[in-house]
């Protein structure tokens, strides 16, 4: 025996549509439970043992969903906003009906790995400062990044508000002839605008920023900007790794 849930709620939570749409579908006779057409959304079903068909197709109950997205620039890491498109606006059915929210934030102009979930505990765990889940960023910096910056970041950069950052690992990938640097930075915390502020503390500016890894999980190179997919259990475990 599993948890009991209203039929309209279960169908809606599984991303098949709004509660209202599910009640319409029920009235049209599109839903069967254990072989019997059910007309009322208020009926309770057992999420594990009852066999539910929607338009003849089995509905498998899944309590939580977690997605990986390659966030594009121009969208904000929120669930709704009156000015900008949000990462949740990028989701199609069934995901847009599943109350997913972003785990932490990437700035509007930052790209890359963003996790969306409706599992509050999972999100909380990933964001917990005690867990120190590493986040790896690739960035372009407007000036040459040198050994001194590497040392400062390794011992802890001091931000403009005197916040002392945790030690971070900075690697210079390339400095081109115009002095623009490509770098990779691993941080173990997630303060507001942290990467940008760390570089500002050494008089440099981030001109492009992309998160490429969280915990042990790399951004999937198959995901184009704005694309997303569900994470596997194994990938969810990788995320939590140091
Ligand atoms: N650091 C930043 O400055 N911005 C981000 O979006 C993420 C980390």
């Amino acid at each position: 025996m599993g948890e009991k849930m209203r039929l309209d709620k279960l169908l809606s939570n599984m991303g098949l549509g709004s509660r209202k749409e599910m009640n319409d579908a029920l009235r049209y006779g599109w839903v069967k439970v254990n072989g019997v057409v059910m007309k009322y959304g208020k009926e309770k079903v057992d999420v594990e043992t009852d066999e539910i068909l929607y338009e003849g197709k089995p509905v498998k109950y899944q309590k939580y969903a977690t997605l990986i997205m390659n966030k594009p620039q121009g969208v904000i890491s929120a669930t709704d906003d009156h000015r900008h498109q949000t990462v949740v606006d990028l989701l199609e059915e069934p995901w847009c009906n599943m109350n997913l929210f972003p785990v932490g934030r990437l700035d509007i102009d930052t790209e890359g790995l963003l996790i969306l979930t409706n599992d509050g505990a999972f999100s909380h765990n990933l964001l917990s400062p005690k867990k120190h889940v590493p986040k790896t960023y690739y960035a372009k910096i407007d000036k040459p990044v040198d050994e001194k910056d590497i040392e400062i970041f390794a011992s802890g950069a001091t931000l403009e508000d005197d916040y002392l950052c945790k030690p971070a690992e900075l690697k210079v990938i390339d400095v081109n002839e115009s002095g623009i640097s490509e770098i990779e930075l691993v941080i173990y915390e997630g303060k507001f605008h942290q990467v940008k502020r760390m570089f500002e503390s050494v008089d440099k500016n981030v001109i492009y920023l992309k998160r490429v890894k969280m915990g042990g999980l790399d951004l999937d190179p198959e995901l184009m900007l704005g694309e997303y997919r569900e994470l596997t259990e194994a990938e969810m475990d990788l995320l939590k790794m140091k």
Side-chain angles (χ1 to χ4, degrees):
M1 292 276 275
E3 184 191 338
K4 293 261 202 252
M5 190 184 281
R6 278 179 65 119
L7 185 53
D8 54 357
K9 181 171 181 200
L10 181 142
L11 294 168
S12 180
N13 285 6
M14 289 309 93
L16 291 160
S18 66
R19 284 268 197 120
K20 158 126 195 5
E21 286 165 339
M22 293 304 97
N23 278 294
D24 290 343
L26 282 152
R27 261 201 307 282
Y28 300 147
W30 296 352
V31 182
K32 277 187 183 171
V33 177
N34 301 326
V36 179
V37 172
M38 299 291 265
K39 294 260 177 181
Y40 300 104
K42 65 172 194 286
E43 301 284 356
K44 293 267 174 89
V45 285
D46 184 305
V47 300
E48 274 168 30
T49 56
D50 284 331
E51 189 201 48
I52 301 159
L53 299 181
Y54 182 84
E55 292 189 295
K57 289 189 214 95
V59 178
K60 172 128 179 41
Y61 180 72
Q62 187 186 333
K63 191 159 184 168
Y64 297 120
T66 300
L67 308 180
I68 176 173
M69 175 185 279
N70 186 359
K71 179 194 169 296
Q73 293 187 3
V75 295
I76 61 167
S77 304
T79 50
D80 62 303
D81 189 82
H82 54 277
R83 282 202 308 150
H84 293 103
Q85 203 184 21
T86 72
V87 289
V88 170
D89 294 329
L90 298 179
L91 302 178
E92 294 183 333
E93 286 192 351
W95 313 109
C96 57
N97 296 315
M98 295 185 78
N99 301 318
L100 297 167
F101 56 86
V103 177
R105 290 195 183 164
L106 290 178
D107 297 335
I108 189 162
D109 56 354
T110 302
E111 293 177 356
L113 195 164
L114 184 70
I115 301 298
L116 293 117
T117 190
N118 52 9
D119 182 343
F122 178 72
S123 167
H124 186 80
N125 249 313
L126 264 187
L127 295 178
S128 163
K130 281 184 237 129
K131 299 278 156 70
H132 308 300
V133 172
K135 291 161 212 101
T136 307
Y137 292 88
Y138 165 87
K140 288 191 179 151
I141 310 298
D142 66 343
K143 297 191 191 94
V145 173
D146 56 26
E147 272 307 315
K148 190 141 173 280
D149 301 322
I150 295 174
E151 278 165 30
I152 292 171
F153 283 16
S155 57
T158 305
L159 303 184
E160 80 293 347
D161 59 359
D162 287 337
Y163 176 77
L164 177 62
C165 294
K166 294 206 165 63
E169 292 137 34
L170 174 59
K171 235 184 357 204
V172 181
I173 301 166
D174 186 46
V175 181
N176 74 13
E177 61 278 15
S178 334
I180 291 177
S181 311
E182 280 179 73
I183 64 95
E184 199 168 86
L185 177 65
V186 186
I187 58 175
Y188 296 84
E189 54 193 343
K191 300 282 167 214
F192 186 60
H193 295 327
Q194 179 152 356
V195 176
K196 291 174 185 166
R197 289 162 70 210
M198 285 172 76
F199 279 98
E200 280 158 21
S201 79
V202 291
D203 290 320
K204 296 178 175 85
N205 295 295
V206 171
I207 51 180
Y208 171 80
L209 187 59
K210 176 177 188 165
R211 184 155 65 196
V212 294
K213 191 169 182 173
M214 238 175 127
L217 182 72
D218 287 297
L219 176 62
D220 181 345
E222 299 283 312
L223 289 177
M224 297 297 107
L225 286 168
E227 290 185 343
Y228 55 87
R229 65 164 172 81
E230 198 168 9
L231 280 184
T232 63
E233 286 287 330
E235 288 174 320
M236 287 174 71
D237 290 341
L238 274 180
L239 258 180
K240 295 177 220 156
M241 270 173 41
K242 296 247 167 89

